[in-house]
Amino acid sequence: MGTAPTSTRSVHGAGKTTTSALLQQLLPNARVLDAEKVGEVLMDIKPGLPASDNFQHWEPWRTLVVETARRVLEYTGDTLVMPMTVLVESYWREISDGLTGHGIPIQHFVLHADQATLHERIQNDNDLGPSTFRFAYLEPYAVAARTWLHDEAEVIDTTHITPDQAARQIAASVLGR
């Protein structure tokens, strides 16, 4: 089996996608597995799955994230960087327990930024533009951060650092430097 998935989790606007791409360049033989792409596959099923405001509520998404990571690691033996926004504790437990149940160790990081910074980043996102979907997750993130999420991971505060600096902090931790 490959080395540990490095799970970078946070709410929209904290820098997961950018940081993950930079992290991939810093870790030997790393691959990025964006768990949201698994959700996009499920969203394309015709006729559609039961109505939901978020594909994470579909049990197959969580199972397929685990299975996809497991199969990729079996196939490549590389390190996986897995950016995702999971704010429901039971969903995170299902994913993390599924990975560890297959003998896959996890190094879990949460990219954090304060609410004002997150709001500003979402509002000024040049690629996606402002999004009510993304704004809707600011408060659930704040609740998760206070109640369980930050206890589960190494928190990297991205409020005043660049994605490159965040990626370097994560790489140093993963590589034991």
Side-chain angles (χ1 to χ4, degrees), residues 5-126:
T6 301
S7 172
T8 53
R9 295 185 31 230
S10 63
V11 73
H12 309 285
K16 291 180 311 299
T17 302
T18 304
T19 301
S20 293
L22 294 166
L23 182 59
Q24 178 190 18
Q25 298 169 20
L26 298 171
L27 297 176
N29 302 314
R31 296 174 188 277
V32 175
L33 171 59
D34 186 340
E36 289 186 6
K37 300 297 184 188
V38 174
E40 290 174 13
V41 168
L42 294 173
M43 289 170 41
D44 284 342
I45 292 174
K46 303 294 183 233
L49 296 177
S52 176
D53 64 342
N54 187 327
F55 56 71
Q56 290 185 10
H57 299 314
W58 294 328
E59 184 277 334
W61 177 78
R62 301 180 303 276
T63 304
L64 287 170
V65 166
V66 171
E67 190 62 18
T68 303
R70 180 177 80 87
R71 296 294 182 159
V72 169
L73 286 170
E74 282 178 353
Y75 186 65
T76 67
D78 296 335
T79 298
L80 286 181
V81 177
M82 297 176 60
M84 61 180 95
T85 299
V86 180
L87 301 177
V88 176
E89 184 176 9
S90 63
Y91 295 175
W92 171 244
R93 297 259 177 266
E94 189 174 338
I95 293 167
S96 61
D97 291 351
L99 293 169
T100 57
H102 288 295
I104 303 168
I106 301 168
Q107 289 184 264
H108 178 199
F109 300 87
V110 170
L111 301 182
H112 171 78
D114 62 49
Q115 291 284 306
T117 300
L118 291 170
H119 191 275
E120 179 183 326
R121 289 177 184 170
I122 293 168
Q123 183 66 39
N124 298 315
D125 188 315
N126 291 329

Side-chain angles (χ1 to χ4, degrees), residues 135-156:
F135 283 129
Y137 284 89
L138 292 179
E139 183 57 27
Y141 168 73
V143 171
R146 282 192 309 270
T147 58
W148 67 274
L149 183 61
H150 285 195
D151 296 337
E152 297 285 319
E154 183 175 333
V155 178
I156 308 292

